[in-house]
Amino acid sequence: MIQHDHFKFSTGVIIYPVFFVLTIWLVFWFEVRFGFNFSRYGVYPQTLKGLRGVVLSPFIHGDIQHIYHNTIPLFVLSMALFYFYRPIAWKVVLFGILFSGFFTWCIGRPSYHIGASGLIYVLVSFTFFKGVFAKHYRLIALSLLVIFLYGSMLWYVAPVKEGISWEGHLSGLVTGLLFALFFRREIAKPKKYVWEQENYNEEDDPFLKHFDEDGNFIEHIETEEEQTEINYIYKEKPKDSK
């Protein structure tokens, strides 16, 4: 992937995360305002009807605390995703919802699994492992920041607290890791210096030719041909021209 396709701010960096979060809050408001309960549209493992939750569950939340704790990290992480990984951001979001939801449907307990936490774990996992694999200083810094902010979430991929879909968290974590491996080539590459390139030859280096093997500077006197080329570059007339 070409370097200039990454790390550029665009309106989508803000608009897409805001739209996604507002949609989640709108669904919750509709439930509260009109007395609906959409929990039955969540993922219900190993049932045909429960498959609809693979797509719908990220937009459904149980209470105000649940939606509050999910939408803040979702907004932050999705902004980082669209800024640092813009060319593949939508793929990560859409396939992240589908894969993490399907894995939850496969391994989950017989209960309704709702909430955007599965997608959040996809983004945390993907962002961390992607930065490690990229070996790019900006992406590594992002990985460290994600661990600093959301590293404690790792505890919740195990059944440590009743009422939390640890299966959804684990599914999101695994999905993010798989995406980091699958999209490994579609990442920004750190700029390499001349001497870091595979076809680098010291003998052809225009800088090193001014030094001997001991590192001493060799005074170089330009030939008439070289001087003519230099004068041409700086748009000066050659000395012998009239």
Side-chain angles (χ1 to χ4, degrees):
M1 184 58 63
I2 301 174
Q3 175 75 19
H4 59 69
D5 286 341
H6 299 75
F7 314 145
K8 282 189 176 182
F9 183 83
S10 63
T11 54
V13 174
I14 297 289
I15 293 177
Y16 298 143
V18 167
F19 176 77
F20 195 35
V21 169
L22 284 180
T23 302
I24 292 174
W25 276 96
L26 182 62
V27 172
F28 182 75
W29 171 84
F30 189 87
E31 282 189 278
V32 175
R33 177 65 177 81
F34 297 101
F36 287 96
N37 185 354
F38 292 152
S39 295
R40 65 181 182 276
Y41 294 102
V43 175
Y44 199 94
Q46 290 98 51
T47 64
L48 187 61
K49 184 181 291 187
L51 279 173
R52 63 188 178 185
V54 170
V55 176
L56 300 177
S57 62
F59 303 94
I60 305 170
H61 292 79
D63 53 39
I64 191 69
Q65 185 178 8
H66 188 201
I67 191 173
Y68 172 78
H69 286 300
N70 274 359
T71 50
I72 291 180
L74 180 62
F75 178 72
V76 173
L77 291 166
S78 56
M79 278 187 61
L81 179 72
F82 278 97
Y83 179 78
F84 288 98
Y85 301 103
R86 182 167 54 89
I88 58 174
W90 277 114
K91 294 180 183 179
V92 173
V93 172
L94 297 178
F95 288 113
I97 291 174
L98 295 178
F99 278 65
S100 62
F102 179 73
F103 290 157
T104 303
W105 183 86
C106 292
I107 68 173
R109 294 161 292 169
S111 177
Y112 288 106
H113 299 256
I114 59 175
S117 56
L119 178 58
I120 293 172
Y121 274 80
V122 171
L123 299 180
V124 169
S125 177
F126 172 81
T127 304
F128 172 74
F129 289 110
K130 195 66 166 171
V132 174
F133 297 153
K135 298 180 182 179
H136 190 294
Y137 70 97
R138 290 188 179 182
L139 302 182
I140 292 175
L142 177 63
S143 297
L144 295 176
L145 180 61
V146 167
I147 288 298
F148 176 76
L149 293 176
Y150 303 113
S152 60
M153 294 172 59
L154 187 62
W155 293 105
Y156 296 101
V157 299
V160 296
K161 187 175 181 180
E162 187 177 355
I164 292 181
S165 177
W166 65 268
E167 300 96 331
H169 299 169
L170 179 61
S171 298
L173 185 70
V174 173
T175 300
L177 173 59
L178 293 177
F179 284 2
L181 292 169
F182 181 78
F183 294 115
R184 193 167 182 176
R185 294 182 180 179
E186 301 186 51
I187 54 178
K189 302 293 184 182
K191 185 177 180 180
K192 289 187 177 182
Y193 294 99
V194 175
W195 56 84
E196 294 180 306
Q197 298 176 4
E198 294 181 0
N199 59 348
Y200 170 70
N201 187 354
E202 289 187 1
E203 296 179 358
D204 299 331
D205 194 311
F207 178 75
L208 293 181
K209 71 179 183 180
H210 294 286
F211 297 87
D212 59 22
E213 295 181 355
D214 298 325
N216 300 315
F217 179 74
I218 302 174
E219 185 177 358
H220 178 70
I221 301 176
E222 289 84 4
T223 63
E224 185 177 351
E225 183 179 346
E226 291 175 332
Q227 186 63 47
T228 303
E229 184 178 356
I230 293 173
N231 291 337
Y232 176 78
I233 293 174
Y234 287 97
K235 296 182 180 180
E236 296 179 0
K237 289 183 178 181
K239 294 180 180 180
D240 59 347
S241 61
K242 295 181 181 180

